[in-house]
Amino acid sequence: MSKIKNAFQNGKAFIAFLTAGDPSSDKTVEYILDMEEAGADLVEIGIPFSDPTAEGVVIQEANIRALKAGMTTDGVFDIVRRVREKSQIPLVFLTYLNPVFHYGYDAFFEKCRELSVDGIIIPDLPFEEKGELAPIAASNGVDLISMISPTSEERIRKIAEDAAGFIYIVSSMGVTGVRSQITTDLSSIVNMVRKVTKIPCAVGFGISTPEQAEKMAAVSDGAIVGSAIVKIIAANGANAGEALKEYVRSMKAGVRAAD
C-alpha cells in the first residue's frame, strides 16, 4: 500500500525532487537521506531520459549528466533499494512513458512493488491514455499521480475525480524552472479539485524560495521543488550535502508557516 498519505499526515508537505545519478548513484542515495533528515516529507526521483519534454534547462542538463555517467533504469531501482535499507520515506518516480514502456509495464511495476516505490508521475502520459498502465500500477500498489495545469473546470474535475496518491498542480504553463513570480489563480484550481476529491494536492513548477513555498502551501496541501534543488547539486557536485540540508530546512519552514 502506498505511503504517500504519510507525507501529508502532519500538516503541509514539502516535496523534493532530484535526478537519479547526478552526480553519482552513491550521492543520490546520500542526498535523498540528507533531504529526509532536513525535513522533506516525500522525495521525487527523476529517472534520467534523453527527451524530458516537461523539463527546463536545469533538469535537462541533470538528465544529460546522469546519462553520460551511465545511469540506467535498473541503476535507479538500485538507488531505491539502497535508500530502502535505511528509510521508509515516501518515494515517487518522475519519468516519461518511453522508459517505462521499454522496460515493460508489468516488469517495471513489479519492481516498484518489490522496492516499495509509492507512486509515479509521467508528464507525457495524457489523461485519456492512462488506462493502458494505471491498472498495472494499481495492482502493484503504485499510485499513478495526476498532473493538473491551468485549464477548463470540466477537465480539472475529470482528472481530479480519477486521481490517486496526490495531485500535482502545475503552477504555470510551460516547463520546469525557477520563476520570480507565480501569477496563476491556484486557489481556484484547488477549490475545483476539492469539490470532487479528498486526495491532497501540492503545487510545483517554479517554486524556489521559502516565501513562495509558504504562499503555495497556503492554498494547497504542500509545495514541490525541483530545479532549485538540482541547481544546488549542479553547483556543489559531490559536496552538496550541507547546502541541500540547509536549503530543505528553509523550504520546510516556509511550508510549515502555512499550516
Side-chain angles (χ1 to χ4, degrees):
M1 186 175 177
S2 165
K3 298 183 290 296
I4 288 174
K5 66 179 184 302
N6 297 345
F8 299 89
Q9 278 184 339
N10 298 313
K12 309 285 187 175
F14 177 67
I15 298 173
F17 168 92
L18 83 178
T19 300
D22 178 36
S24 68
S25 297
D26 289 348
K27 287 297 171 179
T28 301
V29 173
E30 179 183 319
Y31 294 162
I32 291 169
L33 297 173
D34 282 343
M35 291 194 295
E36 178 185 22
E37 179 187 334
D41 299 289
L42 182 152
V43 175
E44 293 179 13
I45 303 173
I47 299 178
F49 182 50
S50 56
D51 297 282
T53 51
E55 313 298 353
V57 64
V58 171
I59 298 177
Q60 283 183 21
E61 289 176 349
N63 276 258
I64 292 167
R65 289 192 298 270
L67 290 170
K68 283 185 175 179
M71 183 50 56
T72 63
T73 303
D74 278 328
V76 181
F77 280 128
D78 188 60
I79 286 169
V80 174
R81 179 187 61 77
R82 292 167 63 193
V83 170
R84 283 290 176 242
E85 291 173 356
K86 297 184 177 181
S87 171
Q88 290 303 311
I89 187 172
L91 296 176
V92 169
F93 282 149
L94 190 147
T95 187
Y96 292 81
L97 189 59
N98 195 59
V100 184
F101 176 80
H102 181 73
Y103 201 91
Y105 293 158
D106 288 311
F108 184 91
F109 287 108
E110 285 168 10
K111 196 75 172 176
C112 287
R113 180 184 62 196
E114 177 189 330
L115 297 169
S116 296
V117 175
D118 300 291
I120 188 168
I121 303 165
I122 306 178
D124 63 343
L125 176 65
F127 171 76
E128 290 77 9
E129 296 175 24
K130 65 183 285 188
E132 70 179 71
L133 83 166
I136 302 169
S139 69
N140 285 284
V142 180
D143 291 326
L144 180 57
I145 294 163
S146 298
M147 301 183 84
I148 289 178
S149 56
T151 182
S152 69
E153 182 171 357
E154 179 184 358
R155 185 164 182 79
I156 290 170
R157 181 184 296 270
K158 185 184 296 185
I159 294 171
E161 284 175 340
D162 198 45
F166 75 93
I167 295 171
Y168 190 130
I169 295 182
V170 177
S171 72
S172 313
M173 299 299 281
V175 297
T176 60
V178 172
R179 289 166 170 78
S180 58
Q181 287 188 311
I182 298 171
T183 58
T184 306
D185 183 4
L186 294 167
S187 60
S188 293
I189 296 173
V190 173
N191 288 338
M192 291 178 208
V193 167
R194 286 179 171 158
K195 286 178 183 177
V196 297
T197 184
K198 294 182 179 179
I199 286 175
C201 49
V203 180
F205 278 47
I207 300 168
S208 62
T209 68
E211 293 75 22
Q212 288 175 325
E214 179 181 355
K215 186 177 178 182
M216 296 303 103
V219 298
S220 70
D221 300 301
I224 305 164
V225 175
S227 293
I229 288 170
V230 174
K231 284 177 76 173
I232 292 170
I233 294 171
N236 294 276
N239 301 304
E242 287 305 316
L244 275 178
K245 285 193 280 189
E246 183 179 347
Y247 178 72
V248 170
R249 286 189 198 103
S250 72
M251 296 300 282
K252 177 63 178 179
V255 168
R256 193 178 286 126
D259 270 327

